[in-house]
């Protein structure tokens, strides 16, 4: 089965706190891609990152970082020094080799309070 | 400039109306998608078009009718909708359909009365 689980439905933090959004996936494919998208209140899904299953290097982009661990089938997303503008729903998604379509998790709603 | 645009952004319609949602992508992509996002539910893939051919139709009711006249434009024609069809309808595009990054438009918030 192909599946993405984001166990945290809602997270609330205070500005400047670090926060980690969890993502666990299931697939039997050896080649797949993982994605994170941000959906602010305006509704548009904004692409954040795409990661190939063969590339387990962690990635950092400004205050954002991603931790890909194949051994635990996880692709977690950390925001350092969170800001109010980070408030949004964040989706993790899997694109397996077969079919190729994006399989989304349920999303995690992050609320950053001033 | 936004890569994927959608119009209208908001739509209220009665159950007997006929309306159309429009999506346009300016990214030179070959694939386009319609998704439905209902409150408290995950995104549901409705239709996939690749090079203007429909390649996927995920058991969507016939009251939703897609049209892809060229690789830059995608429409979703709506008729005799039900209140449970109220949702955010998102359009996306990608270079191909296999493991490519999808870029999304801002969505159309639809309310069916």
């Amino acid at each position: 089965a192909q599946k993405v689980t984001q166990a945290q439905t809602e997270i609330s933090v205070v500005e400047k706190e670090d926060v980690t959004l969890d993502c666990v996936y299931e697939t039997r494919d050896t080649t797949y891609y993982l994605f994170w998208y941000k959906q602010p209140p305006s509704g548009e899904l904004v692409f954040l990152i795409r990661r190939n299953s063969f590339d387990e290097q962690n990635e950092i982009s400004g205050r954002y970082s991603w931790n890909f661990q194949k051994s635990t089938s996880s692709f977690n997303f950390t925001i350092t020094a969170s800001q109010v503008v980070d408030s949004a729903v964040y989706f993790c998604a899997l694109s397996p080799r077969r079919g190729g379509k994006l399989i989304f998790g349920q999303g995690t709603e992050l609320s950053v309070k001033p | 400039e936004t890569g994927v645009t959608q119009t209208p952004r908001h739509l209220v319609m009665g159950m007997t109306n006929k309306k159309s949602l429009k999506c346009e992508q300016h990214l030179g992509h070959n694939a386009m998608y319609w998704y439905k996002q209902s409150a408290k539910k995950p995104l549901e893939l409705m239709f996939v078009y690749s090079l203007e051919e429909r390649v996927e139709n995920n058991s969507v009711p016939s009251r939703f009718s897609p049209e892809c006249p060229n690789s830059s434009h995608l429409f979703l024609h709506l008729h005799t909708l039900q209140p449970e069809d109220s949702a955010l309808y998102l359009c996306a595009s990608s270079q191909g359909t296999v493991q490519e990054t999808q870029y999304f438009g801002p969505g159309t918030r639809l309310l069916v009365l």
Side-chain angles (χ1 to χ4, degrees):
Chain A
Q2 323 269 18
K3 188 180 175 184
V4 175
T5 301
Q6 294 179 254
Q8 306 149 307
T9 308
E10 295 177 15
I11 299 177
S12 183
V13 299
V14 177
E15 213 171 12
K16 297 183 184 170
E17 283 184 26
D18 298 348
V19 58
T20 295
L21 310 182
D22 297 333
C23 173
V24 174
Y25 61 92
E26 293 176 35
T27 180
R28 289 186 178 177
D29 287 1
T30 53
T31 304
Y32 52 88
Y33 282 85
L34 295 163
F35 300 80
W36 275 95
Y37 285 87
K38 173 183 179 180
Q39 187 177 37
S42 58
E44 178 178 355
L45 267 77
V46 178
F47 166 69
L48 296 178
I49 189 170
R50 174 180 182 240
R51 174 63 57 176
N52 183 303
S53 56
F54 292 110
D55 181 2
E56 289 192 69
Q57 269 197 322
N58 292 330
E59 177 141 351
I60 298 175
S61 176
R63 295 184 297 107
Y64 295 171
S65 62
W66 290 270
N67 184 339
F68 177 29
Q69 297 215 341
K70 233 171 168 177
S71 58
T72 55
S73 297
S74 66
F75 186 44
N76 296 338
F77 173 32
T78 297
I79 301 174
T80 304
S82 60
Q83 300 176 1
V84 173
V85 294
D86 296 326
S87 297
V89 181
Y90 290 85
F91 291 94
C92 179
L94 163 72
S95 182
R97 180 68 181 167
R98 282 174 290 230
K101 63 184 180 184
L102 277 182
I103 299 164
F104 284 89
Q106 299 272 64
T108 296
E109 184 171 4
L110 174 65
S111 176
V112 182
K113 302 192 186 308
Chain B
E1 182 187 336
T2 307
V4 181
T5 57
Q6 289 186 245
T7 54
R9 295 293 310 276
H10 301 271
L11 179 62
V12 180
M13 60 187 288
M15 289 191 283
T16 57
N17 291 158
K18 285 186 182 181
K19 296 285 184 186
S20 295
L21 310 185
K22 179 183 175 183
C23 175
E24 184 173 358
Q25 59 96 0
H26 311 272
L27 300 168
H29 288 164
N30 294 317
M32 296 187 78
Y33 310 77
W34 279 117
Y35 286 86
K36 175 184 178 182
Q37 186 179 28
S38 304
K40 307 295 183 187
K41 285 188 178 179
L43 277 85
E44 301 171 50
L45 179 64
M46 300 175 73
F47 301 104
V48 181
Y49 276 83
S50 175
L51 296 170
E52 300 135 53
E53 264 193 53
R54 191 190 309 180
V55 296
E56 187 149 349
N57 174 356
N58 278 355
S59 303
V60 180
S62 59
R63 57 186 184 268
F64 294 92
S65 174
E67 178 190 0
C68 187
N70 55 62
S71 59
S72 298
H73 294 86
L74 184 65
F75 294 89
L76 188 63
H77 303 300
L78 317 171
H79 63 98
T80 58
L81 293 192
Q82 305 297 312
E84 60 264 29
D85 297 322
S86 299
L88 178 67
Y89 289 85
L90 290 159
C91 174
S93 72
S94 61
Q95 187 57 50
T97 56
V98 180
Q99 300 187 316
E100 297 281 351
T101 300
Q102 292 181 24
Y103 295 89
F104 286 79
T108 295
R109 290 194 186 275
L110 173 67
L111 177 61
V112 182
L113 299 176

